[in-house]
Structures are given as C-alpha cells and as structure tokens.
Amino acid sequence: MKTEDLYSLFRLHPAVSTDSRAISPDSLFFALKGPHFNGNAYARQALEAGAAYAIVDEEAYAGNERCILVQDVLNSLQNLAWHHRNQFTIPVLGITGSNGKTTTKELLYSVLSQQFNTLATKGNLNNHIGVPLTLLRINAETGMAIIEMGANHQKEIELLCSIARPTHGLITNVGKAHLEGFGSLEGVMKGKKELYDSLSINNGHAFVCADNPRLVEMSNGLTDITWYGTSPSCDIRGELTGSQPHLRFSWQKKGNEEMHTVNSALSGDYNFENLLAAVCVGDHFGLSAEQLKRGIEGYIPANNRSQEVEQGSNLVILDAYNANPGSMAAAIRHLASHPSKNKVAVLGDMFELGAYAEEEHASIIRLLEELAIPQACLIGPEFFRQRKTAPALHFFENQEEASAWLGSQRLSDSLILLKGSRGMQLEKLLPFLHS
Ligand code: ATP
Ligand code: MG
C-alpha cells in the first residue's frame, strides 16, 4: 500500500496502536517485530480488541479484510509519520545528547505549554518507533512539537531527523554513553552531530551550550545559533547561585542589564545546563522571564530521575533510571559536594560499554576514592570483577547480596545516592534503605 493511501486511512482512524494488549478503539494497529516478538501474530487479537485495521507484513497473517499487507511495517509507520509531519508548518524542536534529554524536554514542556499547545515525547519514547508515534500525535491544534531523539549507533539521529524534519535543534551534551554502539567518544560526537547536519541542510536553528567545547566544535558550520552558557558573550548567560537543596540560578539576556532569578526543584549541578537550555529555548520562542520562571519552577522531577525520596531519617537521591560514565561521575560529584556527613553511594553496573566496560568501571571506583565517599556499595558483575579490599568499598555480584548487606547496615541520617543502568533496577533496593 502506498504511503498516500495509508495516510487516507490514518485520516479516518487517527489513533495508532503497536501493543495488542493496549489497543485504542478504532485505531490502526502496526504489527511491529521485535527481537522477542512478531506483531503479525497479534493482528487478529488487535482487531478483536477494537482496532480498525491491522498493518502486517507477513502474508500468512493477511487473511482478514481488515489486515493491510505492506512490505515492511516499521517502514510504513515511519513513512506515515514523515508524511503526516509534512502537513504542518509548526516549529519542531529535536533534542538529542548523551544525558539530560528527557529532563530538558520536560522542563521545556512545562515552559512552552504556557504559551503554545505543545506536544512532547511521552516518557522516553525516543527511538525509531517512538519518534514516529510522537509525530503521529500532531494535530491541527498543535502549536509546537518537542521530539526527544535517542541513539546508540551512527545514522540513527540522521534517520530520526529525516522523519521529524526538526526546524530547531538542541544537543544537550556528548559523553561516554552507548560506547558499545558508537565505538568511541569521537563516534558519539559524529552520531549526535547528525542533528546539527540536519539543521544545516534545512536552514534550522540550533541552541548550543557555549561552555561545552565538544558542542562548539560540532556546531562549526552552523549559521543560525542561539548560544547559552556562563560566559558574557552568550545570548543567554546564566550563573548558578546555589545548589542546596535545589539549584538556584540567575540569568540575563545579552545586551540587557536585567537579571532574573529562578529557584528550580532539580538537584545535581549537572542539571544547570539543562535549566539554562530551557531558558534559552523558551526565550527564543517569546516567553517572558516570568513565564520562564513559572514553567521551570513548576517542574518537579519524577520517574526515578534525580528524584529525592525520604526513607525515614535517610534521604535517597533516586537516580536509578539509568547510568553511563558521564552521568555516573556527575551524580557522584553531586553527592560529594553535599554538606551531609553520612554519605553512601549505592551504584549498579553501567551497561552498553563494550570494550570500555572495565576501564570505565575502574574509573568510577577511582573517583569514589578520590572524592573520599565514605561508603560505597557497588553492585553487578562489572563492578564485582574489580573488587578489592578497601574499607569504604563493598562489592556485590548481584542485588540479593547487596540488599542483605544494606539491610544489615541499618543506615540512618544518611544521604544515599542510588544509581545504575536501567537493567539493574536499583529502585528495588529502596525498602532496604529505610531507617
Ligand atoms: P536516556 O538516554 O535514558 O533517554 P536522557 O538523556 O533522557 O537519558 P535524563 O533522563 O534527562 O537523560 O537524565 C538521566 C540521568 O542523566 C539523570 O538522572 C542524571 O543522572 C543524568 N543527567 C541529566 N542531565 C545531565 C547532564 N546535563 N550532564 C550529566 N548528567 C546528566
Ligand atoms: Mg530520555
């Protein structure tokens, strides 16, 4: 079926489902394939659950008249999203980077929604499926779209940009994330730069953090840039004025003496650049200083990202959502800078590091020692491989062993950082951190 024909069908049935267990009524069900499932096999179930049509790519499942056979379901979904996006002339802001994409997106959603009917990626749906699904939610009322774009290998951002055609773009930062797929830090830079390349081709506008030499280098060649950072030459200049318990900062616009202050609900100095990015983009789209303040101050982090959770007399910095060497080091530095005396780092393995795994876990252990974190509980096979005898370091092969140890410690009046890759599911340790 041609994209135009599929689009006519989509106009009549503008909801899209991809999970046969959660079918929206009268939707188009796209029978995607994953490593562990074949959506084709669920087409009939989806139709029974209320889908209007099922888009399949295996003849064996195309018997029903409400099953539409295409060559490749994923391709059809992406082409449909591209076609749909092209019907609108709204600003589309693409956000990528190694860390801070979701936080920046959520901050911006909070800011921009005050003025525009804003559509943003739900949660972390930032890949080759999530981006098309987000774009397909654009409708005639949408005033602006914020699209989070994730990548763990080259050409992925290029593909996402070719579908979303961002008019504006922001790379939060580049660091050692997904080294396995990108091969090296240079590889990560090249992969993320695909967003700037797309802006270059389409006369798009970039927001670039001038404090980050890697981003400055990558943005070479772009002509339409708004700069943010701490230097007076930036279009939006900010200064961190306090970080306990939450980040406070002031900012001003180039050529304007007026200073504005914002008291955010975020902690961790690394979030400062995310906050300033939100000011920069919000200001660009015409929001007032007051609206920027209200939008940013109104954003309270959730979903295990830099969340603070009281567990009796203990305070847990719950950052168990994900980890890579850059964000892990940033979180440890944040813990180290905290005035609290009883500090404990409970850290899980960082995944997807390939050949760099040993070196990067070793460097985290070194950082803990350098910063003299009084107690660290290190969990997972990668950390365990590097076990050594040191009074402040405790190594565990898995969560069960770690929870037994944590339970026996009866921690109280402590500040505890909980961070590891998603697969480590460290949030399950929370009950053992209650005093
Ligand atoms: P993902 O790749 O999983 O989508 P993301 O880029 O969307 O991640 P967030 O979800 O915003 O990132 O943040 C995840 C974690 O990364 C945070 O909890 C924090 O530990 C860390 N982080 C956020 N912003 C930064 C930053 N600017 N620099 C370093 N680390 C950061
Ligand atoms: Mg994210």
Side-chain angles (χ1 to χ4, degrees):
M1 181 180 254
K2 285 203 299 233
T3 302
E4 288 76 14
D5 296 334
L6 191 55
Y7 194 60
S8 305
L9 210 57
F10 172 72
R11 297 285 291 269
L12 296 171
H13 308 278
V16 169
S17 304
T18 57
D19 182 344
S20 61
R21 294 159 302 179
I23 294 292
S24 306
D26 202 32
S27 60
L28 299 184
F29 171 72
F30 282 80
L32 295 167
K33 290 194 180 90
H36 309 295
F37 63 89
N38 177 359
N40 284 272
Y42 299 95
R44 179 193 288 260
Q45 198 179 317
L47 292 172
E48 280 165 9
Y53 289 92
I55 321 299
V56 298
D57 52 14
E58 288 183 17
E59 269 200 85
Y61 298 97
N64 190 312
E65 61 184 17
R66 288 196 288 138
C67 282
I68 293 165
L69 184 66
V70 297
Q71 204 163 30
D72 183 293
V73 170
L74 176 62
N75 249 326
S76 291
L77 177 71
Q78 293 174 338
N79 289 339
L80 184 70
W82 172 82
H83 192 77
H84 181 58
R85 184 261 172 273
N86 286 342
Q87 313 302 311
F88 302 89
T89 52
I90 55 169
V92 173
L93 171 69
I95 300 185
T96 190
S98 298
N99 297 301
K101 299 180 289 296
T102 299
T103 308
T104 306
K105 176 206 72 181
E106 294 292 339
L107 280 165
L108 272 170
Y109 179 74
S110 179
V111 166
L112 294 168
S113 301
Q114 297 173 96
Q115 181 125 329
F116 301 96
N117 186 338
T118 308
L119 172 98
T121 300
K122 276 190 195 152
N124 208 32
L125 287 175
N126 63 16
N127 65 7
H128 58 295
I129 298 168
V131 167
L133 290 178
T134 309
L135 293 168
L136 288 168
R137 287 170 42 228
I138 298 176
N139 62 35
E141 271 78 56
T142 309
M144 153 134 19
I146 312 174
I147 311 290
E148 175 172 338
M149 299 179 175
N152 53 20
H153 57 79
Q154 306 290 350
K155 302 282 178 199
E156 205 165 1
I157 297 295
E158 184 181 293
L159 170 77
L160 300 181
C161 285
S162 73
I163 302 169
R165 292 187 40 245
T167 54
H168 296 73
L170 171 77
I171 303 180
T172 55
N173 54 39
V174 273
K176 294 172 179 171
H178 304 295
L179 281 177
E180 191 167 28
F182 282 116
S184 62
L185 186 58
E186 288 67 38
V188 179
M189 286 169 73
K190 190 159 165 268
K192 303 291 177 192
K193 185 172 172 289
E194 289 163 9
L195 174 59
Y196 288 162
D197 294 341
S198 154
L199 294 174
S200 242
I201 296 164
N202 298 305
N203 297 320
H205 187 99
F207 304 97
V208 183
C209 179
D211 296 345
N212 188 324
R214 288 179 197 147
L215 294 179
V216 174
E217 183 190 328
M218 287 156 63
S219 68
N220 205 346
L222 281 178
T223 46
D224 205 1
I225 298 181
T226 308
W227 297 96
Y228 61 95
T230 52
S231 117
S233 61
C234 291
D235 299 298
I236 296 292
R237 186 179 80 84
E239 190 186 340
L240 191 60
T241 51
S243 53
Q244 300 301 339
H246 298 124
L247 302 189
R248 292 187 299 281
F249 67 101
S250 59
W251 67 273
Q252 70 187 135
K253 241 173 131 159
K254 196 172 173 181
N256 188 331
E257 289 294 292
E258 210 179 336
M259 273 281 204
H260 310 281
T261 58
V262 180
N263 302 305
S264 82
L266 297 182
S267 57
D269 287 6
Y270 51 82
N271 270 315
F272 176 49
E273 62 188 36
N274 303 337
L275 291 162
L276 215 49
V279 170
C280 182
V281 177
D283 175 76
H284 176 85
F285 284 109
L287 278 89
S288 68
E290 208 169 291
Q291 284 175 311
L292 292 170
K293 183 178 171 70
R294 204 177 315 129
I296 292 174
E297 293 185 353
Y299 171 61
I300 316 286
N303 304 334
N304 298 339
R305 282 182 186 86
S306 308
Q307 227 178 319
E308 289 178 0
V309 184
E310 279 180 15
Q311 296 288 83
S313 68
N314 294 326
L315 182 66
V316 179
I317 304 171
L318 182 57
D319 207 353
Y321 165 71
N322 222 340
N324 55 52
S327 69
M328 189 73 114
I332 294 169
R333 288 185 198 286
H334 170 56
L335 181 71
S337 70
H338 204 280
S340 161
K341 283 200 202 88
N342 305 327
K343 293 180 219 176
V344 186
V346 179
L347 309 179
D349 275 359
M350 300 173 288
F351 294 178
E352 285 190 66
L353 290 173
Y356 293 87
E358 188 176 340
E359 181 184 327
E360 294 299 338
H361 284 83
S363 101
I364 292 296
I365 294 170
R366 265 199 311 280
L367 184 67
L368 289 165
E369 292 185 305
E370 265 166 43
L371 296 175
I373 302 293
Q375 290 268 50
C377 167
L378 303 167
I379 310 163
E382 287 298 342
F383 274 128
F384 193 72
R385 198 163 296 148
Q386 313 220 17
R387 65 191 176 278
K388 59 178 181 180
T389 316
L393 303 177
H394 309 274
F395 295 85
F396 302 97
E397 209 160 5
N398 54 49
Q399 232 193 68
E400 289 67 49
E401 290 171 18
S403 57
W405 181 80
L406 283 167
S408 73
Q409 292 299 297
R410 309 210 172 284
L411 297 170
S412 62
D413 299 313
S414 300
L415 178 71
I416 305 167
L417 168 67
L418 199 55
K419 187 165 178 74
S421 271
R422 186 79 296 272
M424 295 299 294
Q425 300 188 9
L426 289 195
E427 63 278 3
K428 288 189 177 159
L429 289 175
L430 264 182
F432 300 95
L433 303 177
H434 207 290
S435 66

